[in-house]
Amino acid sequence: MNTYITILIGSLLVNNFVMNKFLGICPFLGVSKKFDTALGMGMAVTFVMTAASFVTWLVNTFLLLPFNLAYMQTIAYILVIAVLVQIVEMALKKLSPSLYQALGVYLPLITTNCAVLGVAILNTDEGYNLMESTFNGFCAALGFTLAMVLFACIREKLSLAKMPKWMDGFPGALITAGLMAIAFQGFGGLI
Protein backbone atom coordinates (compact mmCIF):
# COMPACT_ATOMS: atom_id res chain seq x y z
CA MET A 1 0.00 0.00 0.00
CA ASN A 2 2.89 2.36 0.76
CA THR A 3 4.19 1.87 -2.78
CA TYR A 4 0.90 3.08 -4.25
CA ILE A 5 0.75 6.11 -1.95
CA THR A 6 4.31 6.99 -2.93
CA ILE A 7 3.46 6.60 -6.61
CA LEU A 8 0.33 8.76 -6.19
CA ILE A 9 2.05 11.64 -4.40
CA GLY A 10 5.16 11.34 -6.55
CA SER A 11 3.38 11.34 -9.90
CA LEU A 12 0.79 13.93 -8.95
CA LEU A 13 2.92 16.53 -7.18
CA VAL A 14 6.60 15.77 -6.61
CA ASN A 15 7.54 14.40 -10.05
CA ASN A 16 4.75 16.01 -12.07
CA PHE A 17 5.57 15.43 -15.73
CA VAL A 18 4.73 18.98 -16.78
CA MET A 19 5.89 21.01 -13.78
CA ASN A 20 8.99 19.07 -12.72
CA LYS A 21 10.08 16.96 -15.68
CA PHE A 22 8.96 19.50 -18.32
CA LEU A 23 7.42 16.83 -20.56
CA GLY A 24 4.19 17.41 -22.46
CA ILE A 25 4.70 21.16 -22.74
CA CYS A 26 3.20 21.47 -26.25
CA PRO A 27 -0.40 20.58 -25.27
CA PHE A 28 0.11 22.24 -21.89
CA LEU A 29 0.70 25.62 -23.54
CA GLY A 30 -1.48 25.07 -26.61
CA VAL A 31 -4.73 23.76 -25.15
CA SER A 32 -4.79 25.56 -21.82
CA LYS A 33 -6.54 28.80 -22.77
CA LYS A 34 -9.92 27.50 -21.59
CA PHE A 35 -10.86 25.23 -18.72
CA ASP A 36 -13.11 22.99 -20.85
CA THR A 37 -10.47 22.20 -23.46
CA ALA A 38 -7.81 21.69 -20.80
CA LEU A 39 -10.04 19.24 -18.96
CA GLY A 40 -10.95 17.44 -22.20
CA MET A 41 -7.29 17.10 -23.16
CA GLY A 42 -6.50 15.94 -19.65
CA MET A 43 -9.15 13.21 -19.85
CA ALA A 44 -7.88 12.09 -23.27
CA VAL A 45 -4.30 11.97 -22.00
CA THR A 46 -5.45 10.13 -18.86
CA PHE A 47 -7.01 7.38 -20.95
CA VAL A 48 -4.02 7.13 -23.30
CA MET A 49 -1.40 7.27 -20.54
CA THR A 50 -3.15 4.70 -18.34
CA ALA A 51 -3.87 2.31 -21.21
CA ALA A 52 -0.38 2.80 -22.66
CA SER A 53 1.19 1.96 -19.29
CA PHE A 54 -0.86 -1.24 -19.13
CA VAL A 55 -0.27 -2.33 -22.73
CA THR A 56 3.42 -1.38 -22.90
CA TRP A 57 4.12 -3.42 -19.77
CA LEU A 58 2.49 -6.42 -21.45
CA VAL A 59 4.38 -5.82 -24.70
CA ASN A 60 7.67 -5.45 -22.87
CA THR A 61 7.16 -8.46 -20.58
CA PHE A 62 5.66 -10.94 -23.05
CA LEU A 63 7.10 -9.84 -26.39
CA LEU A 64 10.22 -7.71 -26.20
CA LEU A 65 12.10 -9.36 -23.32
CA PRO A 66 11.43 -13.03 -24.17
CA PHE A 67 12.53 -12.53 -27.78
CA ASN A 68 15.52 -10.30 -26.91
CA LEU A 69 13.96 -7.32 -28.66
CA ALA A 70 14.48 -4.78 -25.86
CA TYR A 71 16.24 -2.50 -28.34
CA MET A 72 12.86 -2.09 -30.09
CA GLN A 73 11.26 -0.71 -26.91
CA THR A 74 10.80 2.90 -28.05
CA ILE A 75 9.36 1.95 -31.43
CA ALA A 76 6.99 -0.60 -29.89
CA TYR A 77 5.83 1.89 -27.26
CA ILE A 78 5.19 4.61 -29.84
CA LEU A 79 3.18 2.15 -31.93
CA VAL A 80 1.02 1.25 -28.91
CA ILE A 81 0.51 4.93 -28.08
CA ALA A 82 -0.42 5.76 -31.69
CA VAL A 83 -3.09 3.05 -31.75
CA LEU A 84 -4.55 4.26 -28.45
CA VAL A 85 -4.63 7.87 -29.66
CA GLN A 86 -6.48 6.78 -32.80
CA ILE A 87 -9.08 5.08 -30.61
CA VAL A 88 -9.50 8.25 -28.53
CA GLU A 89 -9.69 10.40 -31.65
CA MET A 90 -12.41 8.24 -33.20
CA ALA A 91 -14.37 8.15 -29.94
CA LEU A 92 -14.20 11.93 -29.45
CA LYS A 93 -15.16 12.59 -33.06
CA LYS A 94 -18.25 10.44 -32.58
CA LEU A 95 -19.20 11.29 -28.98
CA SER A 96 -18.14 14.93 -28.60
CA PRO A 97 -17.57 16.70 -31.91
CA SER A 98 -17.24 20.10 -30.19
CA LEU A 99 -14.40 18.87 -27.95
CA TYR A 100 -12.85 17.13 -30.96
CA GLN A 101 -12.87 20.46 -32.84
CA ALA A 102 -11.59 22.42 -29.81
CA LEU A 103 -8.62 20.10 -29.32
CA GLY A 104 -7.79 20.31 -33.01
CA VAL A 105 -4.24 19.39 -33.93
CA TYR A 106 -3.29 18.76 -30.30
CA LEU A 107 -5.30 15.55 -30.12
CA PRO A 108 -3.20 13.61 -32.68
CA LEU A 109 -0.11 15.15 -31.07
CA ILE A 110 -0.75 12.99 -27.99
CA THR A 111 0.98 10.31 -30.06
CA THR A 112 4.22 12.28 -29.90
CA ASN A 113 3.59 13.67 -26.42
CA CYS A 114 6.82 12.91 -24.64
CA ALA A 115 4.99 12.62 -21.30
CA VAL A 116 3.06 9.58 -22.54
CA LEU A 117 6.20 7.91 -23.86
CA GLY A 118 8.11 9.05 -20.78
CA VAL A 119 5.76 7.33 -18.34
CA ALA A 120 5.92 4.07 -20.33
CA ILE A 121 9.72 4.13 -20.30
CA LEU A 122 9.82 5.18 -16.64
CA ASN A 123 7.62 2.22 -15.71
CA THR A 124 10.09 -0.12 -17.39
CA ASP A 125 13.13 1.58 -15.87
CA GLU A 126 11.63 1.51 -12.37
CA GLY A 127 10.81 -2.19 -12.71
CA TYR A 128 7.16 -1.72 -11.82
CA ASN A 129 4.83 -4.71 -12.06
CA LEU A 130 1.62 -4.54 -14.11
CA MET A 131 -0.51 -2.94 -11.39
CA GLU A 132 2.18 -0.44 -10.38
CA SER A 133 2.79 0.50 -14.03
CA THR A 134 -0.88 1.06 -14.70
CA PHE A 135 -1.34 3.00 -11.46
CA ASN A 136 1.73 5.13 -12.18
CA GLY A 137 0.40 5.89 -15.67
CA PHE A 138 -2.95 6.89 -14.22
CA CYS A 139 -1.40 9.08 -11.50
CA ALA A 140 1.02 10.70 -13.94
CA ALA A 141 -1.95 11.52 -16.18
CA LEU A 142 -3.81 12.99 -13.22
CA GLY A 143 -0.76 15.13 -12.51
CA PHE A 144 -0.72 16.24 -16.16
CA THR A 145 -4.44 17.05 -15.94
CA LEU A 146 -3.99 18.91 -12.66
CA ALA A 147 -1.27 21.08 -14.16
CA MET A 148 -3.35 21.73 -17.31
CA VAL A 149 -6.52 22.62 -15.41
CA LEU A 150 -4.75 24.89 -12.90
CA PHE A 151 -2.92 26.63 -15.73
CA ALA A 152 -6.15 27.06 -17.73
CA CYS A 153 -7.92 28.57 -14.70
CA ILE A 154 -5.08 31.03 -14.18
CA ARG A 155 -5.00 31.93 -17.89
CA GLU A 156 -8.76 32.54 -17.91
CA LYS A 157 -8.38 34.92 -14.95
CA LEU A 158 -5.41 36.67 -16.58
CA SER A 159 -7.39 37.21 -19.78
CA LEU A 160 -9.86 39.29 -17.75
CA ALA A 161 -7.16 41.30 -15.98
CA LYS A 162 -5.59 44.48 -17.23
CA MET A 163 -2.08 43.38 -18.12
CA PRO A 164 0.89 45.33 -19.45
CA LYS A 165 1.01 45.05 -23.24
CA TRP A 166 4.24 43.03 -23.21
CA MET A 167 2.59 40.35 -21.02
CA ASP A 168 -0.48 39.79 -23.21
CA GLY A 169 -0.77 36.30 -24.65
CA PHE A 170 2.17 33.93 -24.79
CA PRO A 171 4.69 35.91 -22.68
CA GLY A 172 2.24 36.01 -19.79
CA ALA A 173 1.55 32.31 -20.23
CA LEU A 174 5.26 31.47 -20.06
CA ILE A 175 5.75 33.59 -16.94
CA THR A 176 2.73 31.93 -15.33
CA ALA A 177 4.01 28.45 -16.25
CA GLY A 178 7.38 29.30 -14.74
CA LEU A 179 5.82 30.47 -11.49
CA MET A 180 3.70 27.32 -11.35
CA ALA A 181 6.80 25.17 -11.87
CA ILE A 182 8.50 26.98 -8.97
CA ALA A 183 5.44 26.35 -6.80
CA PHE A 184 5.47 22.64 -7.66
CA GLN A 185 9.13 22.45 -6.64
CA GLY A 186 7.89 23.11 -3.10
CA PHE A 187 6.43 19.59 -3.03
CA GLY A 188 9.94 18.13 -3.45
CA GLY A 189 10.34 17.04 0.17
CA LEU A 190 7.10 15.04 0.41
CA ILE A 191 8.66 11.72 -0.61
Side-chain angles (χ1 to χ4, degrees), residues 24-47:
I25 299 294
C26 179
F28 174 72
L29 292 172
V31 186
S32 61
K33 290 181 182 173
K34 294 187 186 246
F35 172 80
D36 295 338
T37 55
L39 185 61
M41 176 59 95
M43 291 186 326
V45 168
T46 299
F47 172 78

Side-chain angles (χ1 to χ4, degrees), residues 30-113:
V31 186
S32 61
K33 290 181 182 173
K34 294 187 186 246
F35 172 80
D36 295 338
T37 55
L39 185 61
M41 176 59 95
M43 291 186 326
V45 168
T46 299
F47 172 78
V48 171
M49 217 181 255
T50 305
S53 295
F54 180 82
V55 174
T56 56
W57 187 91
L58 294 173
V59 166
N60 190 55
T61 303
F62 296 114
L63 183 65
L64 299 179
L65 294 179
F67 293 107
N68 293 322
L69 297 172
Y71 63 92
M72 298 287 289
Q73 179 186 59
T74 304
I75 294 170
Y77 288 6
I78 290 173
L79 180 63
V80 167
I81 293 165
V83 168
L84 292 170
V85 168
Q86 287 300 308
I87 291 169
V88 168
E89 193 170 359
M90 289 186 299
L92 280 179
K93 193 173 188 177
K94 187 79 169 170
L95 300 173
S96 181
S98 60
L99 180 58
Y100 176 78
Q101 290 289 5
L103 293 175
V105 71
Y106 294 100
L107 187 58
L109 284 178
I110 295 174
T111 303
T112 58
N113 186 339

Side-chain angles (χ1 to χ4, degrees), residues 17-18 21-29 113-116 144 148:
F17 274 87
V18 177
K21 295 184 185 287
F22 305 111
L23 298 174
I25 299 294
C26 179
F28 174 72
L29 292 172
N113 186 339
C114 52
V116 179
F144 181 86
M148 290 261 307

